[in-house]
Amino acid sequence: EQPWLIIGGWEATPHSRPYMAYLEIQDGVSTSLCGGFLVSENFVLTAAHCNGKLDLLERKARLNGYVGLIPLPVAHQRMHPGTVCSIAGWGWTSAHNNLSSDTLREADVEVMQDAACPRNPGGIYRNYNPSTMMCVGDPEKGKSSFKGDSGGPLVCQQTAQGIVSWGSKVGTPPAVYTRVSTFIPWIRKTMRMLQP
């Protein structure tokens, strides 16, 4: 499965998302291009090797006017369906080309009911788990994250509520995001353990 660009979005204003990270992740001979986001001076949160899991990468960042942090949600906080959030990334802009964007692009997307990602056997959402995942993106609006956006944040009310994870092969919404609030105890514990 390939890593998950922004479909139906627009170019982000330079420096408007100082927490965004562009990652090249080497796994043996293959390289994945992913998004990530700075949650402390020493840690970038992303999807592990862009495969839909969660990972914390140690990176020393120098915070300034162009590099900043995004807050994490409180543990187990839930976003109500209908909440409008934003996504950003350097991934594909269309299912019809395989070109990633050379500029950061963004879009507004809506949190959906879990039922909008139905767990039908054999269906694309069969592995959807409402306790650890969020169903995001109104099918009628057509805006979504896509290949190359994996690991980037779903920003709701100025906090990183989700992580771009996976979705349909052609980029139609809704897409599935890791629910960050479920993992807050693990994230905090891991950051404390690894803190230099």
Side-chain angles (χ1 to χ4, degrees):
E1 196 168 308
Q2 291 182 301
W4 226 241
L5 168 136
I6 303 297
I7 290 178
W10 54 87
E11 191 172 329
T13 304
H15 313 302
S16 62
R17 294 177 182 265
Y19 48 81
M20 287 296 295
Y22 180 83
L23 305 172
E24 288 188 21
I25 298 175
Q26 194 78 35
D27 184 18
V29 293
S30 65
T31 302
S32 298
L33 302 178
C34 304
F37 48 103
L38 203 56
V39 295
S40 85
E41 198 175 350
N42 298 304
F43 294 101
V44 170
L45 197 55
T46 186
H49 303 100
C50 307
N51 66 1
K53 291 185 287 187
L54 197 64
D55 202 10
L56 267 175
L57 302 177
E58 281 188 88
R59 295 286 186 274
K60 181 69 175 171
R62 182 170 295 159
L63 304 181
N64 56 38
Y66 305 110
V67 179
L69 309 179
I70 186 166
L72 292 168
V74 297
H76 308 295
Q77 179 182 26
R78 289 214 161 220
M79 291 290 101
H80 296 292
T83 303
V84 176
C85 305
S86 68
I87 51 175
W90 291 271
W92 297 11
T93 52
S94 161
H96 308 296
N97 69 47
N98 59 356
L99 298 173
S100 56
S101 177
D102 56 4
T103 57
L104 183 65
R105 296 179 64 81
E106 63 189 6
D108 292 334
V109 289
E110 198 172 307
V111 176
M112 306 298 286
Q113 300 270 4
D114 289 320
C117 291
R119 302 191 315 182
N120 303 330
I124 62 170
Y125 304 110
R126 63 189 173 278
N127 296 319
Y128 182 79
N129 179 342
S131 68
T132 59
M133 300 173 191
M134 298 172 69
C135 185
V136 179
D138 186 336
E140 293 184 9
K141 300 206 172 133
K143 296 176 182 175
S144 189
S145 51
F146 197 40
K147 297 176 182 178
D149 289 327
S150 277
L154 174 74
V155 181
C156 309
Q157 299 162 359
Q158 286 80 51
T159 62
Q161 290 285 346
I163 300 175
V164 178
S165 224
W166 52 277
S168 85
K169 285 186 167 59
V170 292
T172 52
V176 177
Y177 294 72
T178 302
R179 190 182 294 280
V180 174
S181 66
T182 302
F183 297 95
I184 290 298
W186 176 84
I187 291 169
R188 298 284 184 210
K189 178 182 169 190
T190 305
M191 286 168 66
R192 277 196 307 273
M193 273 173 28
L194 297 175
Q195 199 71 31

